[in-house]
Amino acid sequence: MTLEGKVAIVTGGNSGIGKAIVLELAAQGASVVVDYVSHPEATEALEQQLAALGDDKVIGVEADVSKVADLQRLIDKSVEAFGRVDIMVNNAGVETRTDVLSTTEEQYDFVMNVNLKSAFFGTQIAAKQMIAQGDGGAIITISSVHEDWPMPGNTAYCLSKGGAKMLTRTAGQELGPHGIRMINVGPGAVATPINAATMADPEKMKTLDTAIPLGRMAQPEEIAGVVAFLASDAGAYLNATTVFVDGGLMHSSPGL
Ligand SMILES: NC(=O)c1ccc[n+]([C@@H]2O[C@H](COP(=O)([O-])OP(=O)(O)OC[C@H]3O[C@@H](n4cnc5c(N)ncnc54)[C@H](O)[C@@H]3O)[C@@H](O)[C@H]2O)c1
């Protein structure tokens, strides 16, 4: 597996799963554009970490992916810096942990815009660039087990990930003839900042670990390795589908 000569964009790339994906794609030889919306110091640290390994093929770009103009600028910056885009990773995501009765319009828009609108237009703009280049590409959206699996108390999040499922199923049909593969990666529970509250609560962690057949949360690197595989030629026949990386969580029956 190599990504030598490939150019990748990772949205929300300076923390958690996104950061691990940036490091893994760079380790496999890709040039990487790290999108971020906050914590510029984390992006700088990531650039320095890769520079120390002798890798200067990484740039940070500040862009709010819930805005189409920012997404366009992100893709333009990639072309300006590295000449092309081969791999688009729609990773940025947020949640409000609110149910259908309590979610406000503001919370709904926040979750849907960051998680789903960004994936839709990130796909559209990256695909137009890939079609202009003429030799295909891979668009990978970090979805969740919750693209299929209801999570009461996090309704808008589930809705956004369900939408991401149909984005990949449908756009995979439309873009396949251009050699562009659409794939979702659906993590279960991963040890990242998005789960800080759960990780700080030993009781919740015990319940979660019991529900996961492998008995533990994933580390971000265990998601990143799958993304690199899917982006490479080793994953060349995957399209319009989801690869769940959940330790068996989605199909477990704890306590039964
Ligand atoms: N951690 C898990 O258990 C888990 C499980 C399933 C799916 N996921 C998904 O993985 C993805 C990454 O989440 P994570 O767990 O690494 O958490 P995280 O909070 O570390 O990462 C989310 C990233 O998205 C960025 N972001 C938020 N709004 C943005 C915007 N408008 N523009 C650009 N970037 C923005 C954040 O700054 C952050 O870097 C998300 O899509 C999340 O839904 C996570």
Side-chain angles (χ1 to χ4, degrees), residues 9-12 16-19 21 25 88-94 114-116 118-119 123 139-147 157 160-162 164-165 167-168 182-188 190 192 194 220 223-228 230 242-245:
I9 298 173
V10 182
T11 70
I17 294 171
K19 178 180 168 185
I21 294 171
L25 297 183
M88 177 72 179
V89 184
N90 297 312
N91 167 74
V94 291
V114 174
N115 297 8
L116 186 56
S118 73
T123 295
I139 300 177
I140 297 170
T141 296
I142 308 304
S143 173
S144 167
V145 288
H146 297 300
E147 73 167 45
Y157 182 80
S160 72
K161 298 301 185 180
K165 171 181 175 174
L167 169 64
T168 281
M182 295 285 304
I183 310 139
N184 278 10
V185 169
V190 190
T192 72
I194 213 171
I223 311 302
V226 175
V227 172
L230 294 171
T242 298
V243 176
F244 290 106
V245 191

Side-chain angles (χ1 to χ4, degrees), residues 20-235:
I21 294 171
V22 168
L23 290 168
E24 182 61 29
L25 297 183
Q28 298 301 331
S31 301
V32 187
V33 178
V34 183
D35 159 70
Y36 67 98
V37 75
S38 61
H39 299 292
E41 73 290 350
T43 308
E44 273 169 41
L46 194 49
E47 288 174 289
Q48 282 166 15
Q49 184 179 346
L50 285 161
L53 298 172
D55 192 337
D56 59 357
K57 298 180 296 183
V58 174
I59 59 161
V61 175
E62 186 177 353
D64 176 346
V65 297
S66 67
K67 296 181 176 146
V68 176
D70 277 29
L71 279 166
Q72 183 66 61
R73 188 166 48 77
L74 181 63
I75 274 89
D76 291 347
K77 286 275 181 195
S78 174
V79 175
E80 197 181 302
F82 300 120
R84 55 191 293 116
V85 179
D86 302 289
I87 302 159
M88 177 72 179
V89 184
N90 297 312
N91 167 74
V94 291
E95 62 180 12
T96 53
R97 299 256 173 168
T98 51
D99 66 13
V100 70
L101 295 177
S102 64
T103 300
T104 64
E105 182 179 0
E106 193 182 328
Q107 287 172 322
Y108 176 94
D109 287 344
F110 174 58
V111 172
M112 294 300 281
N113 289 346
V114 174
N115 297 8
L116 186 56
K117 181 184 171 191
S118 73
F120 184 93
F121 287 102
T123 295
Q124 181 188 82
I125 300 167
K128 283 183 180 174
Q129 174 62 30
M130 290 168 184
I131 290 167
Q133 291 165 191
D135 48 7
I139 300 177
I140 297 170
T141 296
I142 308 304
S143 173
S144 167
V145 288
H146 297 300
E147 73 167 45
D148 268 341
W149 194 32
M151 181 182 182
N154 212 5
T155 321
Y157 182 80
C158 293
L159 193 56
S160 72
K161 298 301 185 180
K165 171 181 175 174
M166 285 313 292
L167 169 64
T168 281
R169 299 295 186 281
T170 311
Q173 313 292 319
E174 296 171 351
L175 299 174
H178 296 282
I180 299 170
R181 297 180 294 115
M182 295 285 304
I183 310 139
N184 278 10
V185 169
V190 190
T192 72
I194 213 171
N195 284 321
T198 304
M199 289 191 290
D201 183 333
E203 274 307 306
K204 280 190 181 160
M205 280 304 286
K206 201 173 154 199
T207 308
L208 182 60
D209 287 348
T210 305
I212 303 169
L214 290 184
R216 61 172 179 84
M217 283 180 136
Q219 292 302 312
E221 294 73 20
E222 293 175 300
I223 311 302
V226 175
V227 172
F229 168 84
L230 294 171
S232 76
D233 288 346

